[in-house]
Amino acid sequence: MKQRDIQVLQEMGLTYWQVRKPEIFPDQVIPVIDLPESCKLLLVTNDELNEHDAWLFGRILSSMKLQPEQALSLPLEALEQVGEHHLTWCWFAGCQGAHPTGCQVLNSVSLPLMHNDPSAKKTLWQQICSYDA
């Protein structure tokens, strides 16, 4: 991809993209996503989070003694591009994948499904607490 194309994507606010047919571009370098040092939790989900989901996510972060600015979200297909990180947690919500090395892994249903499922919230909380033991 030419530098001009990348610049146009960035001007549109697109900082992550995926080529549908990478075999067309054999020399393409897959960009590495280096997470900021402040990022302690990575939410891996393919769901678009609405305001209600963001509220629940904030409550869960608060229970983990984390601030919203200490968390980022990526779709599952971008996870393989994560390079340098200082993660403590990697939370898979509604999907499964290989997690970045050196972090504690959480698995749950997607946030939209979790709203009305007390047992899913309890299961997530038990996973979080199991790392404190």
Side-chain angles (χ1 to χ4, degrees):
M1 185 173 284
K2 296 178 183 170
Q3 184 61 35
R4 169 84 173 107
D5 296 333
I6 293 171
Q7 183 179 1
V8 169
L9 288 172
Q10 289 174 339
E11 287 174 6
M12 293 170 57
L14 300 173
T15 56
Y16 170 79
W17 59 88
Q18 182 176 12
V19 177
R20 289 187 184 177
K21 295 183 181 181
E23 63 276 3
I24 295 174
F25 305 101
D27 296 331
Q28 177 169 350
V29 177
I30 297 174
V32 174
I33 301 171
D34 288 325
L35 301 176
E37 191 171 333
S38 62
C39 181
K40 300 301 177 196
L41 182 141
L42 181 63
L43 175 66
V44 181
T45 183
N46 290 324
D47 295 321
E48 292 267 341
L49 302 182
N50 62 30
E51 194 173 303
H52 195 53
D53 301 330
W55 174 84
L56 177 60
F57 183 56
R59 299 276 307 204
I60 294 168
L61 286 175
S62 175
S63 73
M64 298 172 73
K65 296 180 177 43
L66 294 172
Q67 301 297 317
E69 54 273 4
Q70 292 178 291
L72 291 174
S73 177
L74 285 177
L76 181 60
E77 56 272 1
L79 191 57
E80 65 189 34
Q81 293 175 246
V82 171
E84 187 175 328
H85 68 82
H86 296 89
L87 292 171
T88 303
W89 302 95
C90 184
W91 174 9
F92 291 92
C95 61
Q96 293 290 320
H99 61 85
T101 58
C103 57
Q104 300 168 346
V105 180
L106 303 171
N107 292 288
S108 74
V109 298
S110 66
L111 283 172
L113 293 176
M114 193 177 289
H115 288 287
N116 298 317
D117 188 349
S119 66
K121 293 174 189 173
K122 180 179 179 181
T123 300
L124 178 62
W125 181 245
Q126 289 171 335
Q127 288 178 59
I128 294 167
C129 291
S130 73
Y131 286 106
D132 291 336

